[in-house]
Amino acid sequence: MANLFYRGFDSTNKVESAKDHLLAAASRLLRAAELGLSKVPGEAGQRLRQLVDADSLWALAFILAVWSVATIVGGPLALIVDGLVVGMGLAAAYQTVVEASRSFAAYASTAYQAKSEIDLAKAGGYFAAGLAEVGVATVEALLTSGAFRALRTRIIAKFPRTRAIVPAESVAERPRQAEQP
């Protein structure tokens, strides 16, 4: 599977198929988040771009992809994803992130359902709006919390960013920016 817009499901290989579906969804959410992060203006945007490293953005995209698959797709794929969620200890985290902002829910849904880069750019707009709604301090609190860092570590260990499907111009490989004096 190397298609950003993959949505298949193979009933003869349910677990691998569910992983592929989830990784493509998380990759779409990652791409939309990158596009949205670049739209946040001014000092808030600069601070957010300093806070959000590639691993954290991938973990956030992955958590929201899990939520999207479980709520939008339903059926056997959702059951398998729910099993992955419980097994990784993500059940509370993805619900908390989405409840923080209606715009994050719109971002997750739009990016999950995206069929093109234009759709991902629209989802990125919702992501930017969600960041504005919750504010820099809330994002910083989430990203630096012990719970998020533990989840990020578990996600990266089981589903490394290298498995993400990102376009060549993606900033997913961008290291965290140094603090400005």
Side-chain angles (χ1 to χ4, degrees), residues 60 63-64 92-101 104-105 134 142 148:
L60 182 61
I63 291 166
L64 289 170
Y94 73 75
Q95 196 62 30
T96 300
V97 170
V98 172
E99 288 174 1
S101 164
F104 280 134
V134 301
L142 170 72
F148 181 81

Side-chain angles (χ1 to χ4, degrees), residues 7 10 28 44 53 100 106-108 115 127 137 149 174 177 181:
R7 286 184 183 75
D10 179 1
R28 287 192 301 278
D53 64 278
Y107 146 72
K115 292 179 173 67
F127 185 79
R149 287 186 313 205
R174 173 185 49 82
Q177 296 176 6

